[in-house]
Amino acid sequence: MTLKGKNVVIIGSGFGGLALGIRLQSRGAKVTILEKQAAPGGHAQQLKAEGFTFDMGPSLVTAPDVVDQIFQSAGKKMSDYLELIPLDPYYRIYFHDGSYLDYSGNTERMKEQLATFHPKDAARYDAFMESSRIMEEAVIKKGLGTKPFMTLKSMISFAPKAIRLGVFLPAYTFVKRYFKDPRSRFVFSFHPLFIGGNPFKAPAVYQMIPWLEKEGGVHYTPGGMYSLIQAFTSLFQELGGHIHTSEPATRIETQNRRVTGVKSSQSFYPADIVVSNADFYHTYHDLVDAGDRKKWRNKKLEKIDYSMSSVLIYLGLDRKYDKLKHHTLIISKDYKRLIRNIFDKKKVPFDFSMYLHVPSRTDKTMAIPGGESMYVLVPVANQLSRTNWDEFSEMFVNSILHYLEHSFGLEDFSKHIIYKSVFTPEDFQKDRNNHLGAAWGVEPKLTQSAYLRPHNRSEDIQGLYLVGASTHPGAGLPGTLMTAETTEHVILTETEGV
Ligand SMILES: Cc1cc2nc3c(=O)[nH]c(=O)nc-3n(C[C@H](O)[C@H](O)[C@H](O)COP(=O)(O)OP(=O)(O)OC[C@H]3O[C@@H](n4cnc5c(N)ncnc54)[C@H](O)[C@@H]3O)c2cc1C
């Protein structure tokens, strides 16, 4: 199948935009990507300052096979573009009582640790992993994750199997069936947080992630996650694609509700096909004329639940802390209340759970000699909380740093910080056009999944497609790469009548 001669404009250069750019350019289309930011990558951008290198967002590479498929779609080999280093453990999880678990794919080591929490939890590990494997097989290997779900019928036909697998249950409820100790329940149910979802509400289909991690590993790319963006960008350009950075799209132009092109801050790009990888709300609300929108009117856009947000604190240290692993999670005492505050009450929490990314534990080039490069990610409510982060962030950040030094036990932490910068929900909104600063887009929940998620093809405008976190199957590195396959499939079906 070919798209020879078709002009395609993709708005946004996140994982989804770049992966689709590679796929369509390989099919003969002439693809131009417009990116608002000064560099490609979306949430996976890089920050370099004072000898430290930081990945600004995603940090865990999972499902290398899904990544490899992007290179294969262009007839290339991933190993020619990218080195993947497997991590062990995948992450260390500290609980509020000081106990911890080194989470890995090693069955025996996992069982030994779970047994110290509750003897029955170790015994149930295999059964849980088997249920996770079955879900992963359905979603990834059998292709449900890349099935477009454009009609209600296509979703209903899958329902009996989904009920049998338990995928409609909330993730935490599903995990509770297997494990007794609250710590074990956390360990196997927190994964929806990685993609902006509420573990107590997101469907258990995300419980495929533990198997995805066990089977494919959790990896690091030297130089950080941004190496993956650089690899995708190089491949896209080698194939003849063009990226224009610092050039936001300002309007998707149409005639008789069919795309004609994209107006940017600097030019007009005629197009047969337009794909938005930008935030879902922003795409319709700000780029598509209200008169062209029958389905996605403002009122309907407002009714959607958008994901949580986060505060990121990028820190350069002049010493090392062995207590920290490459990936470290610190879980608060009242984790359930924290989740309620973030997702239901939209209140900024003062009971912290956080994730620390310390790539300098694996890759010395990320920090100054003897130092550490790290970020602290604190999940917070999106901007329905109406927080004025300009005023509030200093106090918020100081209390987190105080917690890390005085409660968590990073000795003299504040004295060793030689670089610090902070990224807040307001920055997600301003810099990347994320509505309400919701960093993961449309919240992954049952009523916003598959057919009920924004479709990969616009219902309002012919020739307009969507790709990325807010489309099917959803956020995360594997998820957004899979959205590119789904959107490619829909484009080819409609363009070629396949
Ligand atoms: C803090 C954080 C940590 C994460 N950690 C992980 C992780 O460890 N592993 C994992 O798998 N996933 C992780 N994720 C999720 C993952 O990063 C995202 O789901 C994924 O990067 C989203 O990709 P995307 O294709 O939807 O595009 P995005 O990254 O959302 O990029 C969209 C791009 O569109 C651009 N844009 C917006 N409006 C316009 C416009 N008008 N014109 C031109 N360009 C525009 C933006 O500037 C942006 O570059 C994390 C996310 C965050 C926020």
Side-chain angles (χ1 to χ4, degrees):
M1 280 160 286
T2 171
L3 291 170
K4 225 174 175 124
K6 300 276 182 211
N7 277 318
V8 178
V9 174
I10 299 178
I11 302 167
S13 65
F15 284 129
L18 289 171
L20 185 65
I22 290 168
R23 285 179 173 277
L24 299 185
Q25 189 70 34
S26 303
R27 299 268 183 193
K30 289 185 270 176
V31 183
T32 301
I33 298 182
L34 300 178
E35 171 53 57
K36 174 179 190 259
Q37 298 290 304
H43 292 311
Q45 278 175 72
Q46 187 181 61
L47 171 67
K48 271 180 181 276
E50 294 173 30
F52 298 95
T53 304
F54 305 94
D55 278 318
M56 293 195 76
S59 55
L60 292 115
V61 183
T62 49
D65 288 355
V66 177
V67 179
D68 195 16
Q69 278 165 22
I70 305 301
F71 294 95
Q72 284 176 25
S73 72
K76 304 284 180 180
K77 273 185 11 209
M78 180 168 72
S79 54
D80 289 337
Y81 290 82
L82 203 65
E83 187 189 347
L84 290 182
I85 298 175
L87 295 179
D88 186 21
Y90 299 161
Y91 22 85
R92 174 170 286 182
I93 304 173
Y94 284 101
F95 300 97
H96 72 274
D97 60 0
S99 62
Y100 67 82
L101 180 136
D102 280 337
Y103 189 107
S104 79
N106 182 304
T107 302
E108 288 320 308
R109 283 205 334 256
M110 284 300 285
K111 284 185 183 174
E112 272 166 30
Q113 296 178 86
L114 291 170
T116 67
F117 292 170
H118 195 293
K120 284 195 176 151
D121 288 357
R124 297 288 279 151
Y125 174 80
D126 288 335
F128 172 77
M129 275 300 170
E130 177 57 11
S131 66
S132 179
R133 186 194 66 75
I134 293 170
M135 281 189 202
E136 189 270 349
E137 186 175 70
V139 176
I140 308 253
K141 301 211 171 66
K142 295 199 172 151
L144 277 173
T146 50
K147 192 175 161 54
F149 287 114
M150 304 289 284
T151 62
L152 188 56
K153 209 170 135 203
S154 61
M155 191 165 90
I156 289 171
S157 65
F158 170 64
K161 189 168 182 200
I163 292 168
R164 263 199 321 280
L165 292 176
V167 304
F168 292 154
L169 289 173
Y172 189 82
T173 310
F174 184 87
V175 168
K176 240 169 100 175
R177 288 170 160 187
Y178 290 88
F179 300 108
K180 298 261 182 230
D181 190 276
R183 289 168 295 181
S184 315
R185 289 176 176 174
F186 171 83
V187 163
F188 295 106
S189 70
F190 78 90
H191 294 87
L193 283 170
F194 276 165
I195 47 165
N198 176 346
F200 297 95
K201 291 200 176 144
V205 67
Y206 297 111
Q207 294 317 116
M208 70 171 179
I209 299 175
W211 181 259
L212 201 73
E213 291 176 337
K214 187 174 168 66
E215 192 189 36
V218 170
H219 301 266
Y220 174 73
T221 52
M225 185 64 111
Y226 197 66
S227 306
L228 186 48
I229 293 296
Q230 285 171 322
F232 283 161
T233 304
S234 306
L235 174 55
F236 174 66
Q237 289 172 331
E238 268 170 40
L239 294 167
H242 296 279
I243 300 191
H244 300 262
T245 50
S246 303
E247 188 172 344
T250 52
R251 184 60 76 187
I252 296 169
E253 296 289 352
T254 61
Q255 201 166 30
N256 300 327
R257 299 183 66 214
R258 197 192 192 299
V259 294
T260 55
V262 178
K263 207 186 254 175
S264 77
S265 55
Q266 291 162 38
S267 191
F268 172 75
Y269 296 86
D272 306 296
I273 293 167
V274 173
V275 187
S276 180
N277 176 226
D279 179 80
F280 173 71
Y281 180 100
H282 167 66
T283 297
Y284 278 109
H285 189 268
D286 304 329
L287 301 183
V288 178
D289 193 88
D292 276 348
R293 292 189 265 135
K294 286 222 161 97
K295 174 162 182 176
W296 294 110
R297 295 174 199 270
N298 291 354
K299 231 178 177 172
K300 191 162 172 69
L301 293 172
E302 305 292 346
K303 276 192 185 149
I304 286 188
D305 284 325
Y306 295 93
S307 76
M308 62 173 189
S309 190
S310 58
V311 171
L312 289 131
I313 312 166
Y314 305 99
L315 298 171
L317 310 177
D318 64 3
R319 66 156 279 189
K320 294 199 165 291
Y321 285 97
D322 290 336
K323 190 168 183 182
L324 302 175
K325 294 283 168 197
H326 187 129
H327 300 291
T328 304
L329 281 85
I330 304 172
I331 307 310
S332 72
K333 186 169 181 198
D334 204 350
Y335 162 69
K336 279 189 191 172
R337 193 173 63 144
L338 170 82
I339 297 294
R340 259 201 315 277
N341 278 335
I342 293 175
F343 287 92
D344 301 333
K345 297 190 174 169
K346 309 287 186 214
K347 273 171 50 181
V348 172
F350 264 98
D351 181 21
F352 308 121
S353 283
M354 58 191 88
Y355 158 64
L356 279 59
H357 181 221
V358 196
S360 50
R361 295 267 100 197
T362 307
D363 182 350
K364 285 195 178 73
T365 67
M366 300 296 277
I368 59 165
E372 212 87 90
S373 140
M374 65 184 283
Y375 77 52
V376 184
L377 185 164
V378 189
V380 297
N382 66 35
Q383 280 302 76
L384 282 176
S385 72
R386 298 183 192 284
T387 309
N388 180 341
W389 284 101
D390 279 347
E391 285 177 8
F392 185 62
S393 71
E394 193 179 344
M395 183 180 50
F396 187 75
V397 167
N398 284 343
S399 49
I400 288 158
L401 300 182
H402 187 270
Y403 169 87
L404 285 170
E405 180 163 341
H406 299 285
S407 302
F408 182 66
L410 298 182
E411 203 183 317
D412 293 333
F413 192 51
S414 49
K415 281 195 206 141
H416 292 283
I417 297 172
I418 57 171
Y419 172 81
K420 180 175 84 179
S421 74
V422 178
F423 200 83
T424 72
E426 277 176 349
D427 296 316
F428 278 110
Q429 194 154 8
K430 276 196 306 254
D431 282 16
R432 303 191 195 145
N433 287 336
N434 288 137
H435 177 56
L436 298 172
W440 287 262
V442 171
E443 187 184 328
K445 53 194 266 188
L446 191 57
T447 51
Q448 298 187 162
S449 295
Y451 172 74
L452 303 171
R453 209 164 173 76
H455 293 174
N456 302 64
R457 177 205 347 106
S458 166
E459 298 88 337
D460 284 328
I461 294 169
Q462 251 195 315
L464 174 62
Y465 300 85
L466 288 90
V467 72
S470 290
T471 59
H472 174 69
L477 170 64
T480 48
L481 297 184
M482 285 161 74
T483 68
E485 187 179 342
T486 314
T487 305
E488 179 196 29
H489 179 76
V490 178
I491 291 175
L492 288 173
T493 308
E494 297 190 349
T495 314
E496 294 283 319
V498 189

